[in-house]
Amino acid sequence: MRRLPLLRAAVAALLLTAALSGTGAGAAAVEPEPQPPASAGLLDAMRTDLGLTRHQAKQRLAAERAAVRTEQQAERIAGSAYGGSWFEPATGRLVVAVTDEKPAAEVRGLGAETRLVRHSAALLDRAKNRIDALSAPAGVAGWHVDPRANRVVVTVVRADRNRQAVRAFVERARRSGPVVVTETDRAPVTYAAGTVGGDPYYTGNVRCSIGFSVHGGFVTAGHCGRAGAAVRGWDGSAMGTFQGSSFPGDDYAYVSVHSGWWTVPVVLGWGTVPDRLVRGSAEAPVGASVCRSGSTTRWHCGTVLAKNETVNYSQGAVRQKTKTSVCAEGGDSGGSFISGDQAQGVTSGGWGNCSTGGETWFQPVNEILGRYGLRLHTA
């Protein structure tokens, strides 16, 4: 960067040195690299946000790493009988839904549990795709495939549930396939914010947060800026340009940085935890722990609640979001979601705050890398 405070420069140099000594950069990783022991700060964050002891947190991180590998193998073994999967914190094991008992024994041989269900994941995905083609009114918060329920879950705002437009949408959604309706108190919103101090990036009068370093720049949320928009760094100096951006429909963007700036495979811990090195982008299963870093509320943790959810913001529906129990606030948009040392996605929006709690959605990072042909900067 152009002018870094002495401490920031020293930390950045140390992290860069550590990054260059790692395994090198690559595209979206299929499996995570072996992780070093969890830092004391990360274990403390999991204790605070997830209610775990240090020993429980260590056990959970190890179990979640194993579940990532098992999920990929189980889906291949189950084939057309695959009904989805999720991590069960109470047992520390992956649960795999199957529509046929024939592959169940082989799946259990991987160390997973199995559940016999009626609907395959492919059938549920097709039902969700049909709902995606509908125009959702305000009052419909979103929809996603829930492997536990073996249904497509449509979520409506409780105060709007009896509005004619909402009821009509729900009726059309039910005709698409196996659907269940749930309610929420508040509709999701994006997390951009007006210009304030901190360690963000700026475009126009909007403040957002950097997601993950890629070779040549970084990825972030699409609602933070349009293609061609100039970006200023934390110190106000020219930083780069939005090379690509999509919102609504999607919520992702790629920013290239100028030669005066450089990137490292790091997620800031903001003093709550040590800064985290990024070693890959293996996707964590539903139920796994995940943490978020942003320029407003800094570092918070929670769990993955759902995947491939369509979220209905006031600006329009956005698809393929991952839903989490992690809180966020204005200005956190675009920031990093990470599980262990594996990049997960960039913050999109949600409801609530970090005082009373809430839910937040992120755009999966592997989708962004594939869309723009980017290489994640890894340690």
Side-chain angles (χ1 to χ4, degrees):
M1 299 181 181
R2 296 183 183 278
R3 288 191 177 182
L4 295 172
L6 181 59
L7 178 60
R8 184 188 299 270
V11 172
L14 177 61
L15 291 169
L16 180 61
T17 301
L20 293 177
S21 66
T23 59
V30 176
E31 292 190 6
E33 296 293 330
Q35 289 183 309
S39 69
L42 176 60
L43 298 177
D44 287 343
M46 294 180 71
R47 181 197 65 206
T48 300
D49 291 333
L50 299 177
L52 302 176
T53 66
R54 291 171 65 86
H55 179 65
Q56 289 171 332
K58 288 180 180 179
Q59 287 185 316
R60 178 157 175 172
L61 288 171
E64 288 174 354
R65 290 195 295 272
V68 170
R69 296 188 292 271
T70 301
E71 185 175 45
Q72 296 167 351
Q73 296 172 297
E75 183 173 1
R76 184 177 64 254
I77 289 169
S80 62
Y82 181 70
S85 57
W86 63 93
F87 178 78
E88 188 56 65
T91 62
R93 301 174 72 183
L94 187 75
V95 182
V96 180
V98 293
T99 60
D100 189 333
E101 279 288 359
K102 289 182 180 179
E106 191 173 357
V107 170
R108 287 193 291 270
L110 299 173
E113 298 177 16
T114 58
R115 296 287 186 276
L116 187 64
V117 297
R118 180 177 180 182
H119 308 295
S120 70
L123 182 148
L124 294 175
D125 285 341
R126 289 194 296 269
K128 180 187 175 293
N129 290 340
R130 286 191 284 271
I131 301 175
D132 282 344
L134 303 176
S135 178
V140 176
W143 51 96
H144 68 275
V145 172
D146 184 348
R148 293 185 181 96
N150 198 227
R151 296 287 190 277
V152 179
V153 177
V154 175
T155 304
V156 301
V157 178
R158 186 169 289 107
D160 296 326
R161 62 185 175 183
N162 291 322
R163 287 180 52 214
Q164 182 177 355
V166 173
R167 295 177 66 176
F169 179 88
V170 169
E171 287 304 313
R172 291 195 298 272
R174 289 187 189 279
R175 292 195 291 270
S176 71
V179 165
V180 64
V181 178
T182 62
E183 298 178 356
T184 184
D185 289 330
R186 298 176 62 181
V189 297
T190 55
Y191 282 131
T195 300
V196 295
D199 191 16
Y201 76 86
Y202 303 88
T203 177
N205 65 344
V206 171
R207 172 171 63 85
C208 283
S209 302
I210 292 173
F212 293 96
S213 289
V214 296
H215 289 269
F218 62 86
V219 293
T220 187
H223 70 263
C224 292
R226 297 301 183 192
V231 172
R232 305 188 310 279
W234 64 271
D235 60 354
S237 66
M239 183 183 195
T241 305
F242 276 85
Q243 296 297 325
S245 178
S246 179
F247 180 80
D250 304 293
D251 194 7
Y252 51 62
Y254 162 52
V255 175
S256 64
V257 295
H258 300 323
S259 59
W261 293 75
W262 44 276
T263 61
V264 291
V266 170
V267 172
L268 292 175
W270 298 102
T272 302
V273 301
D275 294 346
R276 304 291 294 170
L277 287 173
V278 178
R279 300 184 186 277
S281 57
E283 185 177 326
V286 170
S289 62
V290 67
C291 297
R292 181 193 55 73
S293 180
S295 62
T296 298
T297 57
R298 307 299 174 89
W299 182 273
H300 287 276
C301 298
T303 57
V304 176
L305 300 178
K307 293 184 181 182
N308 193 24
E309 178 156 7
T310 298
V311 182
N312 192 36
Y313 295 130
S314 62
Q315 301 95 328
V318 292
R319 299 177 176 85
Q320 295 180 301
K321 295 290 171 290
T322 297
K323 181 180 183 178
T324 78
S325 63
V326 187
C327 68
E329 296 179 14
D332 287 328
S333 277
S336 320
F337 266 90
I338 188 167
S339 182
D341 59 9
Q342 299 295 305
Q344 298 298 307
V346 301
T347 305
S348 174
W351 61 267
N353 56 54
C354 289
S355 296
T356 60
E359 295 175 335
T360 301
W361 286 261
F362 67 77
Q363 185 91 45
V365 69
N366 288 335
E367 180 186 359
I368 310 173
L369 299 176
R371 170 62 179 82
Y372 296 116
L374 302 171
R375 295 171 59 212
L376 184 69
H377 195 165
T378 56

